[in-house]
Amino acid sequence: MNISTKKAFGKPIKYKGLNIYPIKMNDADEFYDAVQCLLLPKNDFQQPEIIRMSYFLFLLAMSQNDGGHEILEKLLSLYRLVFKTEDIQISMNEKGMAFIIVNGISLHERDFDKIKTFISEQNLIDLDDEFIDPGTKKAIQEARAFMAKRKTKQADLEQQIIAYHCKSGLPYHEIEQLTLYQFHKGLIRMDYMISSDAILNARYSGMIEFKNEQDLPHWLSHIEEPQKNEDVLITKSAFDQQMKKLGLEPSLNK
């Protein structure tokens, strides 16, 4: 079993002699602006030559369009943040191969894709699935729009920071030093702990019953990582099966 505590402790990932650092909350605004360069839907374009491009070459091609210089500016800003250096250059050799040079180390197109994945995992950024079927993608977008109308509007980042401070008691200057991963995972765990307490209180008061007492939630229970888009692709039968697994149902004598 592969166990790693790097993300939980906010440690950098080592890649080709370079440290890739997780983003801290005090850089969140700059990061969320810069990371937009990794969220462009490449396969929304119909031209085969664009679809065949690596994502790095796609960004370089997009940067040649009117106003496209902002894409490279965001990419350079992003790399300055995650590598914690100003020594970032984009270069191309005589064969037309593109590189990003960080502290004198050349990173190729494949390196770019790996670093893109590292940034996603370290900072909980849901990158667009480049291989998703367009029809499925449209259905997901429609489903998300439908579900958004039925959900309570989630607090924005500023409100989440305030909630984290109020619930945890952590001073704001210490919250600034948390990584995005630590902050958001902490919020999820806090929410789970509060929900667990509420369910247990309801259980002991007789408001709800569990078929299996082993299914009672615990504040240290494992939280399953959601699969990509499972929230909108789930079927009714799958939903019913999940509810049965929980063993949670209204008390018959209340």
Side-chain angles (χ1 to χ4, degrees), residues 96-114:
M97 295 179 64
F99 306 87
I100 297 183
I101 303 174
V102 180
N103 289 342
I105 297 176
S106 295
L107 302 172
H108 303 245
E109 294 172 46
R110 288 184 180 179
D111 298 320
F112 182 89
D113 289 338
K114 290 179 181 177

Side-chain angles (χ1 to χ4, degrees), residues 26-228:
N26 58 357
D27 289 322
D29 290 342
E30 186 179 353
F31 170 73
Y32 284 129
D33 178 64
V35 81
Q36 297 301 314
C37 67
L38 300 185
L39 304 176
L40 301 176
K42 181 169 77 74
N43 278 10
D44 279 3
F45 293 84
Q46 300 301 313
Q47 298 93 320
E49 63 272 17
I50 292 181
I51 294 174
R52 286 194 296 266
M53 285 180 181
S54 68
Y55 198 87
F56 180 42
L57 286 183
F58 166 68
L59 291 184
L60 294 181
M62 291 292 291
S63 70
Q64 303 304 310
N65 298 333
D66 291 340
H69 66 280
E70 289 186 4
I71 294 174
L72 289 189
E73 288 177 3
K74 289 184 187 299
L75 178 59
L76 292 172
S77 294
L78 178 65
Y79 268 47
R80 283 194 287 267
L81 283 170
V82 300
F83 287 108
K84 290 190 176 182
T85 180
E86 295 293 321
D87 189 6
I88 311 283
Q89 302 172 44
I90 295 176
S91 180
M92 189 171 290
N93 65 16
E94 64 278 0
K95 295 181 180 179
M97 295 179 64
F99 306 87
I100 297 183
I101 303 174
V102 180
N103 289 342
I105 297 176
S106 295
L107 302 172
H108 303 245
E109 294 172 46
R110 288 184 180 179
D111 298 320
F112 182 89
D113 289 338
K114 290 179 181 177
I115 292 168
K116 184 168 176 263
T117 300
F118 291 147
I119 292 172
S120 169
E121 293 174 349
Q122 277 183 316
N123 304 291
L124 301 175
I125 298 297
D126 187 15
L127 299 180
D128 185 61
D129 187 345
E130 297 177 18
F131 305 102
I132 196 168
D133 174 76
T136 303
K137 184 174 182 178
K138 184 173 184 294
I140 290 170
Q141 291 170 340
E142 291 173 349
R144 287 196 185 281
F146 173 79
M147 292 180 69
K149 295 177 182 178
R150 282 167 158 65
K151 285 187 175 180
T152 302
K153 186 177 180 182
Q154 186 176 9
D156 61 21
L157 184 59
E158 187 175 67
Q159 293 172 344
Q160 290 176 29
I161 291 169
I162 294 170
Y164 198 107
H165 163 73
C166 293
K167 186 62 184 173
S168 70
L170 202 65
Y172 287 115
H173 68 272
E174 292 187 23
I175 292 176
E176 280 189 313
Q177 297 308 309
L178 295 176
T179 66
L180 298 183
Y181 185 94
Q182 291 169 333
F183 177 79
H184 288 295
K185 288 292 187 179
L187 275 181
I188 291 170
R189 178 56 68 176
M190 280 185 215
D191 180 68
Y192 185 87
M193 292 166 69
I194 294 168
S195 299
S196 297
D197 284 345
I199 291 173
L200 288 174
N201 289 335
R203 158 68 179 83
Y204 295 132
S205 68
M207 293 176 64
I208 59 173
E209 292 180 354
F210 280 80
K211 290 181 179 178
N212 188 344
E213 293 295 312
Q214 292 182 344
D215 291 331
L216 283 169
H218 186 273
W219 70 280
L220 268 182
S221 294
H222 176 72
I223 299 177
E224 292 290 342
E225 294 288 340
Q227 296 299 309
K228 191 175 179 70

